[in-house]
Amino acid sequence: MTVPAVATRPGLPGGPGAGAAPGPDLQEAQGSGGLLDWGRLTEAVQAAEPRPCQGWVEQVVGLAVEARGPVSSLGELCWIDRPGRPPVPAEVVGFRGARTLLMPLGDARAIRPGSRVEATGQGFRVAVGEGLLGRVLDGLGRPLDGQGPVAAEAWYPAEADPPPPLARRPIREPLPVGVRAIDALLTCGRGQRVGIFAGSGVGKSTLLAMMTRHTAADVVVVALIGERNREVRDFVDHHLAGSRRRTVVVAATADRPALVRIKAAQVATAIAEFFRDRGRHVLLVMDSVTRYAMALREVGLAVGEPPATRGYPPSVFAALPRLLERAGTGDRGSITGFYTVLVDGDDFNEPVADAVRGTLDGHIVLSRQLAEEGQFPAVDVLASVSRLMPELVDAAHWAAAQRLRRWLGAYREARDLVEIGAYQRGTNPDVDRALERMPAIRAFLSQGRDEAASFSEAVARLQEVAGGEAAGEQRA
């Protein structure tokens, strides 16, 4: 019988298998004084399934490494030896006949046929602890900021199951994010999951930076997936001013392997889960879930999965809800998730956007037209919705928000007539009120990047702008 060795390889947080507790069979074989019951131990060894822990590389095709052995399971972590270089970690991503398909979590250079492959018997885990606050990590949870290692208080699996549905506490408390348009018209709650849908260059990164600085959260976890190297440095140096000490940044830039970009999203979620389990209210910001889906597509196509919808294999649409459902309320704390969705060609019905919108508890749409008109943040109120807002605000707040939305809708319908001078006042009372108050509405929806707005201030401004309907009717 081949017994798996405990892996203590370098290059991955903690090393697979490091600090692992004895298995249940061994625990049962230990008496109250810690002495082994040799009878039970012998039975456990005889019942164990022989499992070769080593194999070798047969070929490398594209992103995938095909190995003959070792016996391993999907998602298991392995190590691949490289001549003249440190071993590289790899994850089991599929099987092809008797061959195991692996994808490296690092530089795949110098891997060649015959390179030894060693299984660890477990999946990828990330070191978590209070020392993560204020740190910048790579996609595998290793420090990027040159401030030394992070003391591990616990090890969390990067890919975990979402909390059971009935174990979630109801969402009843609003979460102020410091942006008037969102707090007043698209109120979000602690533990809600919201998507931010936008094309390129519409201001989603600026909006995320505002929310990161001003949201009333105990801990902020930022996942930068597939970003440019320059943007990561810019976000850390400029957008985290004043909030760095409560923030954890996990960054996997566009040049990193697809599997590392996938792990970055999972690692950031695992870190948020650690703080939620400690009773903290966590804000999880992920930019972007689209690049996470693209990385999943790369992996799926590399292992031979057929493309289904616009080049995306079916596994992508199975993995998205598994990641997004991990956020939400827990027994004590909460994870409020904001996930950006980069829509190609401003097509808000493309497959990833459609799948994410159907999973989350609301969506915020950023309009290119509003951005071109100089409104920042360019939140399209009419195209956005918070599904939990009616349960989070009082009747007066809800009525004012609905009234303002009605005026904006009426103005949008009549805008062409207004601009050519064909609209006659008195034709539509809602259009008349929108025209009368449009300067105040635009000023209310616009907000400077460094301008903070409290929740009470946002609601008061909303009442000021959208209130006085009776007086408006008398004037009409």
Side-chain angles (χ1 to χ4, degrees), residues 1 36 128 165 193 207 218-219 248 313 338 340 377 398 413 462 476:
M1 180 181 71
L36 291 175
V128 293
R193 300 157 306 135
L207 177 60
D218 301 324
V219 176
V248 184
F338 284 90
T340 67
W398 175 252
E413 291 291 329
L462 172 65

Side-chain angles (χ1 to χ4, degrees), residues 22-293:
D25 293 334
L26 182 57
Q27 290 175 347
E28 290 181 2
Q30 289 178 337
S32 58
L35 299 178
L36 291 175
D37 184 332
W38 289 103
R40 290 189 179 182
L41 181 60
T42 302
E43 293 177 2
V45 172
Q46 292 176 346
E49 180 182 358
R51 185 177 187 269
C53 69
Q54 292 185 357
W56 63 92
V57 173
E58 289 205 336
Q59 65 176 344
V60 179
V61 180
L63 302 177
V65 176
E66 295 189 11
R68 178 73 63 174
V71 175
S72 52
S73 57
L74 198 65
E76 186 172 336
L77 203 63
C78 298
W79 291 91
I80 303 177
D81 285 341
R82 300 181 296 172
R85 293 173 180 263
V88 62
E91 184 175 288
V92 178
V93 295
F95 304 94
R96 183 173 294 144
R99 294 178 177 177
T100 301
L101 302 181
L102 304 109
M103 194 158 291
L105 286 163
D107 188 0
R109 286 179 293 183
I111 296 178
R112 64 187 185 187
S115 295
R116 188 178 66 167
V117 179
E118 182 179 345
T120 66
Q122 62 181 8
F124 183 83
R125 299 179 302 159
V126 58
V128 293
E130 295 289 338
L132 290 173
L133 296 176
R135 302 300 299 271
V136 181
L137 312 175
D138 69 2
L140 302 181
R142 300 173 297 197
L144 272 179
D145 49 16
Q147 298 181 18
V150 178
E153 299 179 26
W155 292 87
Y156 269 46
E159 190 168 6
D161 294 328
L166 298 183
R168 298 177 183 264
R169 291 180 293 106
I171 300 174
R172 294 289 184 265
E173 183 182 357
L175 176 70
V177 299
V179 180
R180 279 194 302 269
I182 297 176
D183 286 342
L185 300 173
L186 303 165
T187 309
C188 301
R190 290 195 186 277
Q192 188 171 349
R193 300 157 306 135
V194 182
I196 300 177
F197 295 73
S200 58
V202 185
K204 65 180 184 305
S205 297
T206 302
L207 177 60
L208 289 180
M210 294 173 63
M211 297 169 63
T212 300
R213 289 197 302 268
H214 305 315
T215 298
D218 301 324
V219 176
V220 178
V221 180
V222 179
L224 303 176
I225 314 298
E227 294 284 355
R228 305 175 186 89
N229 282 270
R230 175 191 61 80
E231 291 178 335
V232 173
R233 180 63 181 267
D234 183 69
F235 188 91
V236 173
D237 290 346
H238 299 98
H239 295 323
L240 293 183
S243 61
R244 178 76 179 269
R245 297 180 64 181
R246 64 167 184 165
T247 304
V248 184
V249 178
V250 180
T253 51
D255 59 301
R256 303 303 299 151
L259 198 57
V260 175
R261 281 175 269 147
I262 294 171
K263 290 301 174 192
Q266 297 172 348
V267 164
T269 306
I271 293 172
E273 289 171 334
F274 165 75
F275 288 106
R276 177 182 63 185
D277 293 345
R278 292 206 163 186
R280 308 284 188 85
H281 295 295
V282 183
L283 172 67
L284 173 61
V285 174
M286 189 172 295
D287 185 16
S288 68
V289 72
T290 303
R291 295 192 179 101
Y292 169 74

Side-chain angles (χ1 to χ4, degrees), residues 296-338:
L296 290 170
R297 177 174 62 184
E298 289 184 43
V299 173
L301 295 179
V303 300
E305 191 177 358
T309 307
R310 294 197 189 181
Y312 288 97
S315 62
V316 173
F317 303 102
L320 282 172
R322 283 203 307 269
L323 177 72
L324 301 176
E325 289 288 354
R326 290 170 65 181
T329 56
D331 294 337
R332 295 185 297 167
S334 66
I335 300 175
T336 305
F338 284 90

Side-chain angles (χ1 to χ4, degrees), residues 382-417:
L382 298 180
S384 307
V385 65
S386 171
R387 294 191 175 102
L388 297 180
M389 181 177 176
E391 304 173 15
L392 300 172
V393 301
D394 57 36
H397 182 172
W398 175 252
Q402 291 300 97
R403 189 156 55 243
L404 186 59
R405 293 174 72 98
R406 189 174 74 243
W407 292 347
L408 288 172
Y411 175 79
R412 178 173 295 183
E413 291 291 329
R415 181 171 180 172
D416 291 341
L417 295 176

Side-chain angles (χ1 to χ4, degrees), residues 356-368:
V356 172
R357 185 168 49 242
T359 304
L360 299 178
D361 305 315
H363 53 271
I364 298 171
V365 175
L366 302 185
S367 165
R368 186 173 302 277

